Amino acid sequence: MNWILSLVGKALGIALLFSGGTVSTAILLGIAASHATGGILALLSMLLVFFGLAPALIGAGLLFLGASAKRRLIRERFFQTLHIKQGRLSLLDFSAAARLEPAIARRHLDGWAKEFDATFEVSDEGEIYYVFAGVSPSFYNRDPLPSLNYWVRRLEEIF
């Protein structure tokens, strides 16, 4: 579900951000060029807010939600893989489970290794294993952004 939310958020976010920014620019240029006063200025200002700034802000918010959903999905896959592999996983294990390129997977694993004080083991074949001995099962369901997840659930209920 997080993967779908991430893609939909990115697509809608880019579209709304682009269209809102374009409309805002056009209306501001129209206001500047026409030297509008009174009712026309009020109408153009309302159009600016409703058709320019609002879509741009919604688009930026959706891009943020999409990126955070992707980060949350990667984190969930990390804890699932960590649980399955009993606290000992290799770069290839995590890379395959999270469907990430090895360089990106290594960056995530290195960050979590620092966060959870992981140790390293090298197999006879030369493969490096990250050993997360101090990570308790309570971390598996830990929610890094509870308030953001509340709004994601609310958006899912609406749509």
Side-chain angles (χ1 to χ4, degrees), residues 43-115:
L43 176 66
L44 288 174
S45 298
M46 256 185 358
L47 290 175
L48 175 67
V49 169
F50 289 114
F51 295 108
L53 298 178
L57 289 174
I58 290 170
L62 285 173
L63 284 174
F64 176 76
L65 287 175
S68 66
K70 185 175 181 179
R71 282 191 307 270
R72 191 170 52 251
L73 175 65
I74 291 170
R75 188 175 177 90
E76 287 174 8
R77 292 273 167 90
F78 166 71
F79 284 118
Q80 289 170 354
T81 308
L82 189 65
H83 182 68
I84 291 168
K85 299 291 183 174
Q86 299 175 344
R88 183 177 183 262
L89 47 101
S90 69
L91 175 64
L92 293 178
D93 291 335
F94 177 64
S95 178
R99 297 183 183 121
L100 294 172
E101 294 178 18
I104 297 170
R106 178 181 301 272
R107 198 169 55 225
H108 286 288
L109 283 174
D110 288 343
W112 288 316
K114 289 177 187 173
E115 182 179 346

Side-chain angles (χ1 to χ4, degrees), residues 7-38:
L7 289 178
V8 169
K10 284 181 185 176
L12 285 175
I14 290 170
L16 287 171
L17 189 60
F18 178 74
S19 65
T22 304
V23 169
S24 295
T25 304
I27 292 174
L28 285 173
L29 287 175
I31 290 172
S34 68
H35 301 291
T37 58

